């Protein structure tokens, strides 16, 4: 179901949901670049935080669920791990969790560039657009 989106109605719905979340994520990523959509610090500087970051978090949660479901349903974990697109999917979602982890342990505003990890995450999201152009988006090697 997860690897072949035309195998059943449920698989088609999952593929459509995935495409919708990719679209929402790309719109949120684009809006993140608009200065008016970012929080300002008390000193008037942009904080690197985005008003729509909860939307992005929800999208990352969906992408994580999709990745875990594909991992659990694969017949061969070894071939799943060797698949380039599956590795790109993992690289696309990990920066968000790394950022959450670092923010959890952060004791203050000590970052010189607070949006660096978030920017790295945005670069990884380009994979979603690439996956959409590649049929079902998965490398079956």
């Amino acid at each position: 179901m997860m690897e072949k989106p035309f195998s059943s109605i449920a698989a088609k719905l999952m593929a459509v949901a995935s495409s919708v979340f990719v679209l929402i994520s790309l719109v949120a990523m684009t809006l993140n670049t608009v200065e008016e959509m970012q929080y300002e610090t008390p000193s008037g500087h942009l904080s690197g935080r985005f008003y729509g970051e909860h939307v992005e978090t929800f999208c990352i949660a969906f992408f994580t669920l999709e990745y875990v479901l594909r991992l659990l349903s694969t017949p061969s974990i070894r071939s799943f791990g060797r698949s380039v697109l599956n590795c790109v999917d993992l690289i696309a979602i990990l920066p968000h969790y790394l950022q959450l982890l670092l923010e959890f342990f952060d004791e203050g505003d000590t970052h010189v560039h607070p949006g660096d990890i978030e920017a790295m995450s945005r670069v990884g999201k380009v994979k979603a657009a690439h996956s959409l152009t590649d049929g079902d988006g998965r490398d079956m090697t």
Side-chain angles (χ1 to χ4, degrees), residues 17 25 33 35 41 59 64 68 74 78 84 88-89 97 120 124 139:
S25 180
T33 63
E35 290 182 11
T41 61
C59 289
T64 302
V68 169
T74 187
R78 180 174 291 202
V84 174
V88 170
D89 287 347
Y97 294 108
M120 186 172 76
D139 183 4

Side-chain angles (χ1 to χ4, degrees), residues 119-141:
M120 186 172 76
S121 173
R122 277 187 241 117
V123 170
K125 289 179 186 174
V126 172
K127 72 86 188 168
H130 174 70
S131 293
L132 285 177
T133 62
D134 190 29
D136 67 355
R138 304 291 156 235
D139 183 4
M140 300 298 288
T141 58

Side-chain angles (χ1 to χ4, degrees), residues 57-127:
T57 300
F58 188 70
C59 289
I60 291 291
F62 176 82
F63 295 142
T64 302
L65 176 67
E66 179 187 29
Y67 184 84
V68 169
L69 288 174
R70 283 191 287 115
L71 178 64
L72 293 175
S73 66
T74 187
S76 171
I77 292 179
R78 180 174 291 202
S79 64
F80 183 87
R82 284 190 301 209
S83 169
V84 174
L85 289 177
N86 288 328
C87 291
V88 170
D89 287 347
L90 184 61
I91 290 169
I93 60 176
L94 282 181
H96 181 77
Y97 294 108
L98 178 62
Q99 179 179 355
L100 290 177
L101 183 68
L102 292 176
E103 287 175 357
F104 179 75
F105 291 112
D106 189 24
E107 294 184 10
D109 193 19
T110 58
H111 299 295
V112 178
H113 303 287
D116 285 349
I117 294 174
E118 190 174 322
M120 186 172 76
S121 173
R122 277 187 241 117
V123 170
K125 289 179 186 174
V126 172
K127 72 86 188 168

